[in-house]
């Protein structure tokens, strides 16, 4: 199956960054953050148990955090995969720590409705691109993903989670150059690292009509600024 078919039937596809100077700059920036050598004005905040998120804004840390998406043609890739334009609305750099094998985000969907008929999460669901950089020889499984679970949402929480027992599970490991794109309506589970810590770079994309639902659209503005600069330079 090609990436569009994988997204439709499985809800996920795996891609690869090209080995370019821009990508090398991106990895150098991430390694700097990973090692804790933060630039002036930036700091870590504990958003969840056993995690640290880069603050105040990940995209402001270095241009490479946005530019790697531009060079990789992610805007057009999203159109090719999903059939419509998706826009970056949030970018996060997060480090998860091994704390007694605790998962800061166990099995869940980002968008769902169960027996109380309360809709949780954005509609339509966001799409995420996540990169789990590998900086040494340690292999970490970073995300478990229930393939095709976006096609069947049970009406009760219990029944929904019970279907995991008969669903094929994909594990996404850390990598030098692989990244994952997925439908956040699918059931997924963040895994704790085997090593002391593991970085994840999380990009959230939504249709333009959903941008007003976000408190801060500065990520979108930065993304569009860099995207337009790239288009005009060609």
């Amino acid at each position: 199956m090609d990436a569009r078919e994988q997204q439709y039937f499985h809800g996920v596809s795996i891609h690869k960054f090209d080995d370019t100077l821009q990508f090398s700059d991106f990895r150098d920036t991430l390694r700097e953050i990973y090692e804790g050598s933060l630039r002036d004005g930036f700091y870590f905040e504990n958003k969840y148990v056993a995690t640290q998120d880069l603050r105040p804004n990940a995209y402001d840390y270095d241009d490479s955090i946005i530019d790697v998406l531009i060079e990789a043609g992610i805007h057009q890739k999203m159109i090719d995969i999903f059939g419509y334009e998706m826009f970056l609305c949030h970018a996060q750099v997060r480090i998860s720590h091994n704390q007694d094998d605790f998962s800061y985000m166990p099995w869940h969907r980002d968008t769902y409705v169960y027996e109380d008929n309360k809709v949780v999460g954005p509609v339509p669901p966001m799409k995420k691109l996540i990169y789990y950089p590998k900086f040494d020889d340690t292999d970490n499984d970073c995300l478990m993903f229930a393939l095709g679970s976006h096609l069947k949402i049970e009406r009760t929480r219990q029944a929904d989670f019970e279907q995991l027992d008969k669903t094929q599970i994909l594990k996404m490991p850390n990598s030098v150059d692989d990244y994952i794109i997925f439908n956040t309506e699918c059931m997924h589970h963040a895994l704790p690292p085997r090593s002391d810590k593991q970085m994840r770079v999380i990009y959230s994309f939504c249709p333009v009509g959903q941008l007003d639902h976000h408190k801060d659209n500065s990520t979108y503005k930065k993304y569009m600024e860099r995207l337009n600069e790239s288009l005009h330079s060609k």
Side-chain angles (χ1 to χ4, degrees):
M1 289 189 285
D2 61 24
R4 176 179 289 188
E5 292 166 338
Q6 290 173 27
Q7 284 291 339
Y8 183 81
F9 291 107
H10 294 163
V12 59
S13 54
I14 297 174
H15 308 264
K16 190 179 292 291
F17 286 115
D18 291 334
D19 184 12
T20 64
L21 180 60
Q22 175 63 66
F23 180 61
S24 179
D25 288 345
F26 175 58
R27 280 188 52 86
D28 287 345
T29 296
L30 297 182
R31 183 185 291 273
E32 176 182 289
I33 298 168
Y34 180 80
E35 294 175 349
S37 304
L38 299 184
R39 301 174 190 176
D40 290 345
F42 291 87
Y43 57 93
F44 286 124
E45 179 181 77
N46 298 104
K47 181 175 182 180
Y48 303 105
V49 175
T51 69
Q52 293 178 305
D53 279 30
L54 181 64
R55 295 289 190 260
N57 294 304
Y59 65 83
D60 272 336
Y61 190 85
D62 191 88
D63 285 344
S64 65
I65 292 174
I66 297 295
D67 288 349
V68 71
L69 301 177
I70 306 303
E71 183 188 56
I74 297 301
H75 190 75
Q76 184 61 49
K77 186 181 291 289
M78 289 293 191
I79 296 173
D80 293 342
I81 290 175
F82 298 109
Y84 54 90
E85 279 192 295
M86 303 287 294
F87 297 91
L88 182 69
C89 59
H90 198 31
Q92 304 167 82
V93 175
R94 176 174 299 154
I95 297 177
S96 60
H97 296 267
N98 188 329
Q99 185 171 309
D100 300 323
D101 293 327
F102 173 82
S103 171
Y104 78 89
M105 193 66 69
W107 283 111
H108 68 287
R109 304 177 188 270
D110 289 7
T111 298
Y112 59 88
V113 57
Y114 290 135
E115 54 265 44
D116 59 2
N117 287 321
K118 179 181 178 181
V119 176
V120 176
V123 178
M126 285 190 183
K127 311 301 187 290
K128 284 186 178 178
L129 184 160
I130 305 184
Y131 173 54
Y132 302 97
K134 185 175 183 177
F135 294 121
D136 53 35
D137 294 332
T138 304
D139 294 321
N140 284 319
D141 286 327
C142 302
L143 182 74
M144 286 200 298
F145 195 91
L147 295 179
S149 54
H150 63 306
L151 298 176
K152 186 177 182 182
I153 302 179
E154 297 290 353
R155 291 296 294 152
T156 69
R157 180 182 296 272
Q158 179 176 340
D160 203 27
F161 280 75
E162 285 176 350
Q163 69 174 316
L164 285 170
D165 294 334
K166 50 189 176 182
T167 301
Q168 183 179 355
I169 303 300
L170 170 73
K171 288 185 178 181
M172 179 67 185
N174 60 348
S175 173
V176 172
D177 51 10
D178 286 348
Y179 62 91
I180 189 170
I181 296 175
F182 67 95
N183 184 338
T184 61
E185 187 179 14
C186 280
M187 300 186 78
H188 51 288
H189 172 97
L191 293 169
R194 294 191 187 98
S195 56
D196 290 338
K197 60 183 179 179
Q198 172 65 51
M199 174 180 282
R200 58 199 68 209
V201 187
I202 307 167
Y203 299 99
S204 299
F205 292 82
C206 68
V208 65
Q210 289 183 358
L211 290 171
D212 290 342
H213 297 292
H214 298 275
K215 295 180 180 178
D216 184 3
N217 286 344
S218 56
T219 307
Y220 162 75
K221 293 176 182 177
K222 178 76 171 183
Y223 175 68
M224 292 307 298
E225 173 187 314
R226 305 299 290 178
L227 181 62
N228 289 328
E229 287 176 359
S230 172
L231 293 174
H232 291 153
S233 66
K234 292 182 179 180

